[in-house]
Amino acid sequence: MAREVERQGSTDEGGLRRAPAWWPVLRVVLLALWIVWAASSWWSAPRQANTTRARADLAAGRTVSYQWAAGWDTTGHWSWTDDRTLRLTGRSGPLFVWRTGDWRVHYTEFDRGSTAPGSPGSFDAAQYSSAEAAAFDQLLQSADLDRRWQSVDPPPPLGNLAALLMLGILTVLVLGPAPARGTRWFWFWALTGVPFGLGLIWWLARERPWHPAEPPPPNPVGRDTRHRWYVGLLVGVATSIAASVLLYGLRQVLGDGYVPHGAGG
C-alpha cells in the first residue's frame, strides 16, 4: 500500500511537471516580465544632471513632470536594488527631479555652486531653499505644465511589475511541486534577497517545476538534505554586499548614466 501511495504521488507530481500547456508558458511569462522590469527600471532610474539641462528641458517642452525635495534617503535594507527615496520637507529645493517625455528621470541641485542669472533678490525661506530654486520655480509655474503625473514615479503598469513578478513567484513556490534543490523557505529568501531579481533566473533555470529533478532522499539520520532557509538568507546577504561593491566600482568608472542608483526599484 505504501508503495502504491508513493507511486501515485510521484505520478501526480510528474504529471504536473510534464504539463506542456502551463509550466513552460509560465516560465516564459515570468522571464519576460523580469526583462521588462529590469529594462524599464534601468531606463527610468534617476540620473544626475546640471541646472543647465533642467532649464533646457523645460524651455524645449521636454519636461512633463517634476518634484522638489530636500535630498535623497537611501533605504537601509537589502533587497533587489539599492533604492533611494526623496526626502521631503515642505520646501521647494534644493533638489529638483524631473521626468521627460521619454520617461527618463534626471535630478540636480539649484543651490550648489551655480552662477545662473535670474535669481530674485529676496525669497521666502520657508517656501524655498534658495533664491535660485525660487527663480526656477517661477519658470515652472509660468510654463503651465500638463501634470499628467503628479510626481516622477513610473506609471502604474511599470511600477507594479515587481509586485506582479513576486506574486507569480510565490504562487508557483507555494502551490507548485516541492522544490528539489532547496526548501521553499530557501528559495523565498534567495528570490527576495539576491539583488536585481537575479535569484529568479537561478530559480527558473535550476529548480522544479522547470528542471526535471527529484528531491534528494533524506540522509541516514532522516534529515532533509536540501538547502535550508538560512542558506538562502546568507546567499541573499552575501550577493547584496558583493553587488553593492561591484556597482560602486562600476559607477566610479562609467558614471551613473550607465550604472544609476536605484535601477530595478
Side-chain angles (χ1 to χ4, degrees), residues 163-183:
L164 185 61
L165 261 175
M166 187 55 62
L167 179 62
I169 291 169
L170 293 178
T171 299
V172 177
L173 195 59
V174 173
L175 302 180
R181 301 181 182 279
T183 64

Side-chain angles (χ1 to χ4, degrees), residues 31 67 171 210 227 256:
L31 181 60
Q67 191 166 358
T171 299
W210 327 112
H227 297 311
D256 70 353

Side-chain angles (χ1 to χ4, degrees), residues 60-255:
R62 292 188 293 266
T63 302
V64 297
S65 179
Y66 67 89
Q67 191 166 358
W68 289 102
W72 292 105
D73 281 331
T74 302
T75 56
H77 61 81
W78 53 276
S79 64
W80 283 12
T81 62
D82 55 340
D83 290 335
R84 296 195 302 172
T85 58
L86 293 174
R87 184 172 69 253
L88 307 178
T89 60
R91 294 195 304 173
S92 295
L95 185 67
F96 178 71
V97 188
W98 74 99
R99 186 184 295 278
T100 53
D102 57 358
W103 286 102
R104 304 303 294 268
V105 176
H106 305 276
Y107 66 92
T108 188
E109 290 193 31
F110 271 94
D111 60 351
R112 180 169 291 183
S114 175
T115 58
S119 298
S122 61
F123 67 99
D124 184 358
Q127 185 177 358
Y128 299 100
S129 63
S130 67
E132 187 186 6
F136 188 74
D137 194 59
Q138 292 177 5
L139 294 177
L140 289 170
Q141 300 302 325
S142 61
D144 192 22
L145 297 179
D146 178 12
R147 299 298 297 276
R148 289 173 289 175
W149 305 280
Q150 295 302 309
S151 68
V152 294
D153 295 330
L158 293 180
N160 294 332
L161 271 180
L164 185 61
L165 261 175
M166 187 55 62
L167 179 62
I169 291 169
L170 293 178
T171 299
V172 177
L173 195 59
V174 173
L175 302 180
R181 301 181 182 279
T183 64
R184 299 184 197 272
W185 278 112
F186 163 81
W187 283 111
F188 172 80
W189 289 113
L191 287 164
T192 57
V194 175
F196 311 113
L198 294 177
L200 171 67
I201 307 302
W202 181 22
W203 178 61
L204 290 177
R206 301 302 300 163
E207 189 55 270
R208 291 199 306 167
W210 327 112
H211 191 274
E214 293 293 337
N219 62 16
V221 297
R223 181 178 176 84
D224 191 347
T225 58
R226 295 177 298 172
H227 297 311
R228 310 302 292 270
W229 67 269
Y230 50 83
V231 178
L233 183 62
L234 291 175
V235 167
V237 173
T239 54
S240 294
I241 295 173
S244 297
V245 174
L246 177 62
L247 290 177
Y248 177 81
L250 291 175
R251 196 172 292 121
Q252 300 306 308
V253 175
L254 302 176

